[in-house]
Amino acid sequence: MLRDVSKWERVGYGRKSTLEKEELISPEKIHYLIKYPRQFKEGVSWEDITELIAAEIGAIFGLEMMSVEIVTRNGRRGCLLRNFVKEYDAKMTEEGGVLLSALVDDYKELQESSLKDMELIDAGFKIMKKFVYWETIKSEFIDMQLFDILIGNQDRHPFNWQLLFLETGAKFSPIYDNGASLGFRFEDEKLIQMVSNPQEMNKYTEKFHEQFLLSTRA
């Protein structure tokens, strides 16, 4: 039986996001976010379930993942995420998109370019190497990209990772926002079809390549 967090105090609605969010405080005064899966006219969405599964997979590989639990709130199922900013007592946070925007000329030019596939990835990493915190985050950042390939993440972009600024210095955030992965919109029949067709699987898992930079063009 899923834990019911209906009585937890709501203190906000979270930042702008594709998924509906609420900011909650538990009776133990621990800060959390709860995200609800989207409802579609056709098909299904398992974004809360895949968020949990992705977190478990990442932990198996030794990656630092956001803590995830499936719960219910007022009759709705969602994924409960422990607020790592509060957990680390970060003095300040910045999303990657905000930080990279400081590289105004290069970053804007890349966003507006027509590059695709490996040319886009190569140009993206050349930009990252100019980033002042690159040496600090390089290992975790590349691990995140490899993890996204593994789970077929469709939604990794510069606003889906952060730097936490602690008293001891800058730290790469735990990996979060992994719900749009692992065939999150596929019924069982479609999943079987996908795993039986290597070309379809490759097409799906490689889709994330351009998400890192292109999603900010919208």
Side-chain angles (χ1 to χ4, degrees):
M1 187 173 180
L2 300 179
R3 179 157 61 141
D4 188 346
V5 299
S6 301
K7 295 183 179 180
W8 287 16
E9 179 185 1
R10 182 177 63 206
V11 294
Y13 288 95
R15 297 182 180 182
K16 182 179 179 182
S17 173
T18 304
L19 303 186
E20 180 185 350
K21 291 181 182 178
E22 292 182 280
E23 298 177 33
L24 307 176
I25 297 181
S26 73
E28 297 77 26
K29 304 302 180 183
I30 299 173
H31 290 253
Y32 291 87
L33 293 172
I34 184 171
K35 296 199 302 186
Y36 302 101
R38 287 175 286 180
Q39 301 296 317
F40 297 99
K41 292 182 180 180
E42 296 182 6
V44 296
S45 175
W46 304 102
E47 286 164 288
D48 55 339
I49 304 297
T50 51
E51 187 80 55
L52 172 64
I53 295 172
E56 295 291 334
I57 293 172
I60 290 172
F61 282 95
L63 303 176
E64 185 177 9
M65 308 297 296
M66 192 175 194
S67 174
V68 183
E69 177 186 356
I70 304 300
V71 298
T72 61
R73 179 171 171 81
N74 299 324
R76 301 176 65 189
R77 191 191 73 210
C79 56
L80 187 70
L81 312 167
R82 185 155 176 168
N83 188 324
F84 55 74
V85 175
K86 299 288 186 180
E87 186 175 358
Y88 280 102
D89 191 25
K91 306 306 176 186
M92 184 178 73
T93 66
E94 285 290 1
E95 292 176 321
V98 174
L99 291 167
L100 289 172
S101 294
L103 300 170
V104 179
D105 294 335
D106 292 334
Y107 189 52
K108 184 177 180 181
E109 181 180 341
L110 185 58
Q111 286 179 303
E112 296 175 351
S113 77
S114 59
L115 296 175
K116 294 182 179 180
D117 302 324
M118 288 306 300
E119 288 184 344
L120 177 62
I121 294 171
D122 183 57
F125 272 103
K126 286 179 179 177
I127 290 287
M128 289 298 296
K129 289 178 180 179
K130 297 179 181 180
F131 182 41
V132 66
Y133 294 104
W134 175 240
E135 291 301 322
T136 300
I137 71 169
K138 178 169 63 175
S139 178
E140 291 89 347
F141 182 84
I142 293 175
D143 283 347
M144 181 179 68
Q145 306 301 314
L146 296 174
F147 179 64
D148 286 337
I149 295 174
L150 175 66
I151 64 174
N153 193 350
Q154 309 296 293
D155 191 35
R156 182 71 65 206
H157 53 76
F159 291 91
N160 270 356
W161 55 270
Q162 295 183 30
L163 258 67
L164 311 180
F165 294 90
L166 316 178
E167 289 186 352
T168 54
K171 169 182 170 56
F172 196 71
S173 68
I175 301 175
Y176 63 96
D177 273 354
N178 307 297
S181 63
L182 299 168
F184 73 108
R185 288 208 57 195
F186 297 149
E187 301 278 8
D188 289 351
E189 182 178 339
K190 178 64 175 178
L191 280 173
I192 293 172
Q193 177 185 335
M194 289 283 289
V195 299
S196 302
N197 187 326
Q199 289 183 329
E200 285 293 314
M201 280 297 294
N202 288 337
K203 182 179 178 181
Y204 178 77
T205 56
E206 290 176 2
K207 184 179 177 181
F208 100 96
H209 285 166
E210 298 186 7
Q211 293 296 321
F212 167 58
L213 293 162
L214 296 184
S215 60
T216 61
R217 293 178 181 173

